Amino acid sequence: MSTDITRFLSSIILSLTITAATCSASAQNNTHVPVIRSTTSSLLDEKLEYYRHLYPEISFLNLKGGDELVTDMMILVKALGDEPSSSDYEHPEKLREELMTASVNRILYMLQFQMPSASLFKADKPPGQGVNLCVLTIHPQVAAADSLQATSHLLDLPDEIIERIPDNLQLSPGDYLAYVIDHEIYHCLHSMYAGPQKMSFKKYWGEYNHFLNEQGADAYAVGMHIKNRQKTSNFVINLQRIRAMALFSADPDHMTSKAIDQVINLPESKIKNMSANEVFDMAIRIKKGLTIGYDEYLKYLASAVQAMEELGLEEIIPEDLLNIAKESQSDPAQVKQYVENSRRCLLELRASGTDH
């Protein structure tokens, strides 16, 4: 690996080692013992093995963070090899090292907060032999230890609201973990087979592409759920409802209910008989069909922000989202639709006791 990246990673690992030692010493007084759900870990292992057989041209590596953060970063450095490059973003060779530093920093951030993510690299291990490496950050217990945790992991509402959601409207942990894995795997598959994000001088090009890619990722994950479960289960309906409530989490880029709608509206028998590759192709078609222009995306964000304000969510709107929304005028019809859909879905979860 280049000298600059090696120094950067070495400094991170040293800092993490010191932090881990400090946390370990202070944790001796912590009597909380986490519940370990072996079934979730087994599901993750089984899904990754499935994808390894399905796509032998890709090497899949999952990192969990938490107590394993230092070890994870060491494993990542070794797996990337000497001269790795990002496959997620189109870039000139002169920016390879800078992009790699940013990409590794992103993985570190996701591991520190134990958030799911996926990154595709052209690893250089053995040296001189490019290997497609899909790096995932999925901690199964953090994402889906039980139904309440799975639901709150996707729906960012106060615990007292989540706890009032009836059992049949919560997300089952097994289904949710499988969804998270498929969703993240899609991002690697998209970079591999549909190509990296194209370069652009547009100010919010990254956010724009993130929004579009989330449509495809959810279409794929829902399609894989229907294929594997051989039916459109309650999980899919609940997932669609929660995705339609993304504004309550100040996360309009994950408002993917239209994509999920398109999967649900396909003949169930057709999806059940699809191969995984065909499900991916279906997701790509749905993403392309839902693709909007850059300026239209800015209008969408402006409308989403105004809808959030009408829902009484001003305090949770991030400043960067407010700044992006200022780049365009909102659409009154869209604002009305988003407000009505958000309130309807919240009522359907029987959580209407919230102040929003």
Side-chain angles (χ1 to χ4, degrees), residues 269-318:
S269 58
K270 181 177 181 179
I271 299 176
K272 287 160 56 175
N273 293 323
M274 284 182 179
S275 67
N277 291 329
E278 289 171 335
V279 174
F280 176 73
D281 291 340
M282 173 198 70
I284 292 293
R285 289 194 299 271
I286 289 175
K287 177 205 166 188
K288 288 181 178 178
L290 291 174
T291 294
I292 57 178
Y294 178 78
D295 291 337
E296 191 175 350
Y297 169 70
L298 296 182
K299 178 179 289 188
Y300 162 75
L301 286 185
S303 301
V305 166
Q306 185 175 333
M308 289 172 63
E309 291 171 347
E310 293 190 15
L311 289 165
L313 301 167
E314 296 95 338
E315 293 184 0
I316 70 168
I317 304 175

Side-chain angles (χ1 to χ4, degrees), residues 31-274:
T31 57
H32 173 70
V33 178
V35 177
I36 302 300
R37 311 276 182 172
S38 59
T39 54
T40 55
S41 294
S42 298
L43 175 59
L44 176 60
D45 292 340
E46 291 169 5
K47 292 279 287 183
L48 291 181
E49 194 61 26
Y50 168 79
Y51 278 111
R52 289 185 182 109
H53 281 90
L54 191 62
Y55 298 102
E57 64 274 26
I58 303 175
S59 178
F60 294 93
L61 172 65
N62 184 63
L63 307 173
K64 298 180 181 179
D67 294 339
E68 303 174 31
L69 183 55
V70 176
T71 302
D72 281 345
M73 293 305 294
M74 291 179 176
I75 292 172
L76 177 62
V77 171
K78 185 176 181 180
L80 288 173
D82 295 333
E83 299 288 338
S85 62
S86 170
S87 299
D88 289 328
Y89 306 96
E90 185 182 50
H91 60 280
E93 176 57 29
K94 65 181 181 179
L95 294 180
R96 181 187 64 82
E97 292 185 14
E98 185 176 345
L99 178 57
M100 277 302 305
T101 299
S103 298
V104 171
N105 236 334
R106 174 179 176 270
I107 291 175
L108 173 61
Y109 176 86
M110 303 306 279
L111 289 172
Q112 286 175 320
F113 291 93
Q114 297 184 302
M115 298 166 61
S117 70
S119 306
L120 185 69
F121 300 98
K122 182 69 75 171
D124 187 37
K125 186 176 176 64
Q129 297 183 28
V131 176
N132 300 302
L133 177 65
C134 175
V135 179
L136 306 168
T137 61
I138 300 173
H139 195 301
Q141 287 80 36
V142 171
D146 53 39
S147 293
L148 281 174
Q149 190 162 337
T151 305
S152 63
H153 194 260
L154 193 68
L155 181 61
D156 188 15
L157 288 176
D159 290 344
E160 58 269 22
I161 303 297
I162 300 293
E163 290 168 359
R164 292 211 304 269
I165 298 175
D167 292 346
N168 67 313
L169 296 180
Q170 295 175 18
L171 300 176
S172 61
D175 286 333
Y176 180 65
L177 180 59
Y179 156 82
V180 170
I181 298 168
D182 290 329
H183 179 105
E184 297 304 335
I185 289 285
Y186 169 87
H187 290 303
C188 283
L189 298 181
H190 185 275
S191 293
M192 179 79 181
Y193 301 112
Q197 177 181 306
K198 298 297 183 182
M199 292 186 291
S200 173
F201 289 105
K202 290 185 170 62
K203 189 175 181 180
Y204 303 112
W205 188 248
E207 291 84 352
Y208 167 65
N209 279 275
H210 176 61
F211 169 72
L212 298 180
N213 288 334
E214 288 304 304
Q215 311 302 313
D218 266 4
Y220 176 74
V222 170
M224 288 297 290
H225 174 89
I226 295 173
K227 166 183 161 54
N228 292 329
R229 289 290 298 273
Q230 290 290 288
K231 64 177 182 179
T232 304
S233 66
N234 287 336
F235 171 82
V236 171
I237 306 304
N238 291 336
L239 178 74
Q240 179 192 39
R241 181 182 294 116
I242 290 174
R243 280 310 205 194
M245 297 171 60
L247 297 188
F248 284 112
S249 304
D251 190 13
D253 281 347
H254 281 97
M255 195 148 65
T256 60
S257 53
K258 286 184 179 179
I260 297 174
D261 264 339
Q262 293 206 13
V263 178
I264 293 175
N265 289 333
L266 289 172
E268 191 177 85
S269 58
K270 181 177 181 179
I271 299 176
K272 287 160 56 175
N273 293 323
M274 284 182 179

